[in-house]
Amino acid sequence: MARPGVQKHLDIAELLRCPLCGAEMHARQSSVACESGHDFAISAKGFLNLTPHQKPLKGYDETFFASRQRIMEHGYYREVHQAVAASLNELANTATVIDAGCGEGSYAKDVARALPHSTVLGLDIAKDAIRVAARGGGPVRWLVADLANIPLSDSTVDAILNVFTPANYDEFKRVLKPGGMLVKVIPAPQHMHELRELAGEQLSEADFVDHGVSEHLMRHMNVVSRARVTQTSPVQAEDALDLVRMSPVAFSIEEHALDLGSLTHITVDAEIICAQFTFRRDCCAKSLVPGQEPGTRRSHNPKSR
């Protein structure tokens, strides 16, 4: 019998479609493959890489995601996590849920704990993100995958999480079941304002302009609920550098130029939008970058924005 980390990925083969040709996938001994012969091995590290030729993404490395993981574990995003989990209360415990752009995987792990009989998949294009997320085992299936080409069959998903990361609404609509739900989390005005103030002139104003992400979403979806969550926490000295390193806004600043001792508090400010789709599949076929929406830097901007 296959190892647990391998077996849990073999078990979802029937949900998958080949990212290269779109054909159905089936399980082999330690890989998944399609009838055209495209074969994807399940890593001994506990994940399935369905974009094996993806180049490393500048800035989004193991240090970035390990910092994010520690910040999540230390509770700075606790109220956002609780609000996201609460938004899924209506789901059946046997639901299929994907965290699209899962980063270090903390939200997907929350869902798996709340819905222990569900099938939860964490997808991210950054291999380092999935490598960090997969550490320690657990029931979540981890996939290196592109949101512009989600390797899941049509109408297989009950809910999608999309937390502080770009969306590809065309792909989301394709994989969701009729009546399926999207839980979209976007930064609100006070998000990480202490870090922005600390960085000062090293950051351009354009880094924090609202480019219409929420308006773009609402033009194409039926919003079921919308709530704002704000949490301000004291910063432990050992966490200050991680808070800088886990934020994409810090890519343009020099760590050594920051007075980290003055970062005494940090605010996480977010809007949680629950929505269902009301638009044609082809309305978002052309994205700014594959998988990208207005107001984001790149196709899979991890969740610190």
Side-chain angles (χ1 to χ4, degrees):
M1 184 175 178
R3 300 187 307 275
V6 172
Q7 186 62 49
K8 69 181 182 181
H9 290 89
L10 297 178
D11 291 345
I12 62 166
E14 64 181 13
L15 299 177
L16 302 177
R17 76 170 194 177
C18 179
L20 300 180
C21 68
E24 294 180 357
M25 305 284 279
H26 58 272
R28 291 188 172 180
Q29 185 172 358
S30 59
S31 67
V32 297
C34 71
E35 293 183 358
S36 299
H38 302 128
D39 195 311
F40 303 89
I42 300 167
S43 169
K45 301 294 185 181
F47 61 88
L48 176 59
N49 188 352
L50 294 172
T51 58
H53 303 299
Q54 173 66 36
K55 296 180 180 179
L57 303 171
K58 183 178 180 180
Y60 299 96
D61 55 16
E62 191 163 348
T63 296
F64 177 95
F65 293 108
S67 291
R68 283 192 50 79
Q69 187 174 68
R70 288 189 291 269
I71 291 301
M72 298 300 170
E73 290 172 349
H74 293 174
Y76 292 95
Y77 282 70
R78 180 185 63 256
E79 294 188 21
V80 174
H81 278 262
Q82 291 173 348
V84 169
S87 70
L88 299 176
N89 283 343
E90 300 300 318
L91 284 183
N93 198 21
T94 55
T96 297
V97 182
I98 65 172
D99 184 351
C102 67
E104 83 302 328
S106 57
Y107 294 95
K109 291 174 183 178
D110 279 354
V111 174
R113 284 190 288 267
L115 300 172
H117 300 292
S118 60
T119 299
V120 182
L121 296 86
L123 282 63
D124 204 291
I125 200 170
K127 185 176 179 180
D128 281 334
I130 296 299
R131 184 182 289 113
V132 170
R135 290 173 183 164
V140 179
R141 283 77 166 180
W142 303 108
L143 278 61
V144 182
D146 189 351
L147 297 195
N149 181 26
I150 297 177
L152 293 172
S153 299
D154 297 0
S155 303
T156 52
V157 176
D158 295 285
I160 296 174
L161 303 184
N162 188 234
V163 184
F164 291 132
T165 195
N168 189 297
Y169 295 114
D170 192 50
E171 281 292 272
F172 288 178
K173 177 177 173 62
R174 180 183 64 78
V175 302
L176 275 173
K177 296 176 182 178
M181 180 172 62
L182 171 68
V183 179
K184 174 76 173 170
V185 182
I186 62 175
Q190 294 302 306
H191 188 54
M192 296 280 178
H193 73 86
E194 298 92 346
L195 179 58
R196 288 148 39 189
E197 292 160 6
L198 181 67
E201 294 181 356
Q202 292 192 62
L203 296 177
S204 69
E205 186 64 25
D207 288 325
F208 306 107
V209 172
D210 181 354
H211 294 280
V213 174
S214 59
E215 289 77 8
H216 181 64
L217 181 153
M218 288 187 291
R219 281 197 300 270
H220 302 296
M221 302 185 66
N222 176 34
V223 174
V224 177
S225 65
R226 185 168 185 168
R228 184 169 174 180
V229 175
T230 305
Q231 175 185 342
T232 299
S233 307
V235 175
Q236 301 300 312
E238 63 270 22
D239 293 332
L241 185 56
D242 276 338
L243 282 164
V244 172
R245 287 179 171 173
M246 58 82 73
S247 176
V249 302
F251 291 174
S252 58
I253 64 179
E254 298 292 334
E255 291 177 6
H256 65 270
L258 299 178
D259 178 13
L260 295 180
S262 66
L263 188 63
T264 59
H265 290 77
I266 197 72
T267 298
V268 172
D269 191 18
E271 288 192 81
I272 291 89
I273 304 172
C274 297
Q276 293 179 316
F277 288 88
T278 59
F279 64 97
R280 298 190 316 275
R281 180 174 296 178
D282 61 354
C283 75
C284 293
K286 294 182 179 179
S287 50
L288 302 176
V289 176
Q292 189 165 355
E293 62 185 325
T296 57
R297 291 187 168 191
R298 46 174 299 277
S299 61
H300 278 58
N301 185 8
K303 289 192 263 299
S304 54
R305 287 291 301 272

